[in-house]
Amino acid sequence: MTVSIRSVLHNTQFKRADPVVEVEGKDLDTPVRWVFTNEREDVSSFLSGGEMLIIEGNALLAADWYGTLGQYVASLAQAGVAALVVELVEGVVRMPDELVSAARLHGLTLIGLKSRVPFVNICQSVNTAIVHEQMHLQLEVDTMSTSLREGLSHTGSIEAVAETVAALFGESVAIFDGDGLLAARAGRAFNTGNEPSMVIALEGRSRPVGALEITQRTMTFDESMRQAVAKIVAPVAALYIDGGARMGMMRHLSMGPADGVHVNTYEAQEAHAMLEALGFAGSCIYMPFALRFRSVVEGVDHVSAMIERFEAQSGSDVACMLEGDLMMGWCSAADSTGGAADFGHRCMDALALLEGDGIYAVHGRVALDTVTLIDEFAVLRSIAAREPAYGQVVSTMSVLVDRFVASADMDTAMRMLIVRTIGFEVASSPILLDTLCACFDNLDSKTGACEQLGIRRQTLYNRLDKVTQMVGVDYNDKKNWSMLLFAAKLAKSWQERHRE
């Protein structure tokens, strides 16, 4: 087992300091990579995540600190610190309220020490335990790796691969190919929803091969064990279930633009050629999605039902690719007569089947061309990579403000917001852009917008309907429409500033 915050609390030297957990943070079972002391305000710039930081309480009142305690905690949480430990013996003898509030806000575990024990003694004792545990785990991984390689050297099918892994660990195993189809199963049946399991991504030749799910009834697989299993099993599994160039193209498309915001001309041409090669040349409208599985065994049938329901509609198709517990793909239709809004509703009806089924579904906005489709994938991946809210279906629009605020570069932030809302099609239309800006200026009052633009009400609605047909957001969708109006105002300001 790894050394966690909980196990540190039971360390002999640490217990002598009378530790009190002031804020439990996300989880006391969070692993601790190293314990050390550093009382600089900017210590987060030297961290790589997983550290337990010990400081004296008086350090919080240092004269050369320029930020607030809230900013200090935020920087530690951003750096991935496992826990902040504060000695409360002399001077500062109780945890400052601002520190406690910030720790709760950012989910950072906060521990107070009520008795004085030299920090060097604590660090030496806990870090020795960490090193000892790492050596023990490495020995286990090496032993397991040797046995797994030996066993797989005699396999002749994907079923034999699953049986070998199941026999070695005494667990149940399921292997899925890149399309999300069950390729092999071994061991007793999975008791989905009632027992822990983990999903390991299988990759080879820079493309996904599929996924291996294994129960954890008798043992817990740490990250080093997972990586070792993936490294050994993937090339063998690829001999039987490698999707070939098709999976490589799917992976390339779903990675999004190189700059994470907007594709360049070369990327757009390359992406269009790949879509043609995949058989989507006739599709003229898309909605990209990303799915995170709590358990592939548990969730894949729900996804299959969703795909069947959507493809039952004339001219509709779904392409998807499984990368461990993540599935990337898109819904598409060859006929866009109904426009982006109608197509978006059809996609949402299909995705709604996944609510409450142990799947975290994220969908992008409707794309009428290759450029918009590829642009959406960048933000899809970043959202799907967050802590999953299993059972929910969310849109990329719902996190745009957070991404906008988090961006360190204003031009990049504005481009991102414009691309994800109105797109460059609307932004490049002076009439439509001015119309949206007038709605923004008048708090979306149609009467006020008409007066500002000097047009009739029906003309205004015709323009707004045109926007809806292009981007798939209806003006009755107040939340997303407000975001769209804000983006239009930013686009107008950005264009005027760059013309100057």
Side-chain angles (χ1 to χ4, degrees):
M1 58 178 287
T2 58
V3 174
S4 64
I5 298 173
R6 192 183 307 278
S7 57
V8 171
L9 289 169
H10 291 89
N11 175 274
T12 304
Q13 288 292 334
F14 202 81
K15 286 174 65 177
R16 286 181 55 215
D18 296 326
V20 176
V21 179
E22 303 268 358
V23 177
E24 190 165 317
K26 295 179 179 178
D27 191 349
L28 290 182
D29 291 320
T30 298
V32 176
R33 189 178 62 83
W34 202 247
V35 180
F36 79 115
T37 177
N38 187 309
E39 297 178 345
R40 289 179 54 147
E41 180 185 12
D42 62 347
V43 63
S44 62
S45 62
F46 308 113
L47 306 178
S48 56
E51 296 89 353
M52 175 178 279
L53 176 64
I54 305 179
I55 66 172
E56 185 182 357
N58 289 331
L60 300 173
L61 305 178
D64 58 345
W65 276 29
Y66 297 99
T68 65
L69 293 181
Q71 292 170 333
Y72 176 64
V73 170
S75 69
L76 297 181
Q78 182 67 30
V81 168
L84 173 64
V85 181
V86 183
E87 183 188 69
L88 304 172
V89 176
E90 183 179 345
V92 177
V93 296
R94 62 179 295 273
M95 206 71 77
D97 292 338
E98 184 181 359
L99 196 69
V100 173
S101 298
R104 288 174 179 157
L105 176 64
H106 295 285
L108 177 68
T109 296
L110 186 62
I111 300 171
L113 302 181
K114 300 299 185 178
S115 299
R116 174 158 289 166
V117 173
F119 290 171
V120 66
N121 292 354
I122 295 176
C123 291
Q124 181 180 14
S125 179
V126 178
N127 288 337
T128 297
I130 291 173
V131 171
H132 180 271
E133 191 62 35
Q134 287 174 341
M135 292 176 65
H136 178 69
L137 288 174
Q138 188 59 53
L139 180 61
E140 285 188 344
V141 170
D142 291 343
T143 302
M144 179 278 298
S145 299
T146 300
S147 300
L148 187 57
R149 285 193 176 93
E150 171 64 22
L152 292 178
S153 66
H154 303 295
T155 58
S157 66
I158 191 63
E159 291 81 7
V161 172
E163 290 169 0
T164 298
V165 177
L168 176 63
F169 295 107
E171 301 282 358
S172 300
V173 171
I175 298 178
F176 299 84
D177 64 18
D179 292 309
L181 301 176
L182 181 65
R185 210 166 189 165
R188 63 188 174 94
F190 279 74
N191 187 8
T192 56
N194 296 312
E195 64 183 6
S197 67
M198 71 163 184
V199 181
I200 299 174
L202 303 178
E203 298 185 355
R205 301 179 185 176
S206 300
R207 61 178 178 248
V209 171
L212 181 151
E213 183 165 355
I214 183 168
T215 57
Q216 298 186 92
R217 300 186 186 108
T218 60
M219 67 178 295
T220 300
F221 294 79
D222 67 358
E223 188 57 33
S224 59
M225 189 77 79
R226 296 185 189 198
Q227 291 177 3
V229 171
K231 183 178 180 181
I232 297 168
V233 175
V236 181
L239 296 174
Y240 312 106
I241 60 172
D242 187 357
R246 183 169 61 88
M247 284 295 133
M249 288 188 286
M250 287 282 294
R251 162 66 73 83
H252 187 87
L253 290 168
S254 68
M255 292 304 295
D259 68 355
V261 178
H262 186 51
V263 297
N264 57 39
T265 302
Y266 173 76
E267 289 175 323
Q269 292 174 344
E270 184 181 45
H272 186 73
M274 289 185 180
L275 283 172
E276 286 186 325
L278 290 168
F280 287 88
S283 298
C284 55
I285 190 166
Y286 310 86
M287 177 182 277
F289 61 79
L291 310 176
R292 281 280 300 280
F293 294 92
R294 179 168 51 205
S295 163
V296 181
V297 170
E298 177 185 2
V300 73
D301 287 342
H302 298 294
V303 175
S304 296
M306 179 273 288
I307 293 175
E308 289 177 6
R309 174 172 175 171
F310 184 80
E311 291 185 336
Q313 304 170 77
S314 178
S316 300
D317 201 357
V318 176
C320 55
M321 167 194 62
L322 184 66
E323 309 174 31
D325 68 344
L326 174 67
M327 177 174 280
M328 302 292 297
W330 61 80
C331 300
S332 68
D335 182 9
S336 61
T337 304
D342 177 69
F343 176 73
H345 290 317
R346 288 198 284 135
C347 293
M348 288 304 302
D349 287 342
L351 289 172
L353 290 176
L354 304 179
E355 291 183 344
D357 289 329
I359 300 171
Y360 177 42
V362 186
H363 66 85
R365 72 182 181 92
V366 174
L368 295 175
D369 52 43
T370 302
V371 170
T372 308
L373 173 65
I374 306 307
D375 284 349
E376 283 295 294
F377 274 122
V379 68
L380 270 176
R381 279 192 178 273
S382 65
I383 296 174
R386 295 182 174 187
E387 188 70 25
Y390 294 119
Q392 294 186 18
V393 178
V394 302
S395 71
T396 55
M397 293 278 282
S398 64
V399 298
L400 283 181
V401 171
D402 291 340
R403 286 178 59 85
F404 181 79
V405 172
S407 179
D409 179 75
M410 182 55 69
D411 276 352
T412 299
M414 291 180 65
R415 287 178 65 239
M416 180 275 299
L417 191 63
I418 293 167
V419 167
R420 304 287 177 254
T421 52
I422 60 176
F424 282 101
E425 309 96 325
V426 174
S428 61
S429 171
I431 292 178
L432 295 181
L433 191 60
D434 287 344
T435 301
L436 295 176
C437 288
C439 290
F440 178 88
D441 294 340
N442 292 274
L443 300 178
D444 206 23
S445 166
K446 306 303 186 290
T447 300
C450 288
E451 292 177 355
Q452 180 175 325
L453 295 167
I455 60 176
R456 296 182 178 181
R457 198 174 185 86
Q458 187 56 51
T459 302
L460 175 69
Y461 279 110
N462 289 340
R463 293 181 183 178
L464 298 183
D465 286 339
K466 178 67 173 177
V467 171
T468 296
Q469 292 299 314
M470 294 172 69
V471 304
V473 178
D474 190 273
Y475 44 78
N476 292 314
D477 180 355
K478 296 301 182 183
K479 182 178 180 180
N480 289 332
W481 187 255
S482 297
M483 183 67 66
L484 186 145
L485 296 182
F486 175 57
K489 193 68 176 179
L490 287 179
K492 183 72 173 179
S493 175
W494 189 83
Q495 289 176 359
E496 291 175 349
R497 179 165 61 87
H498 280 264
R499 278 199 294 270
E500 294 175 358

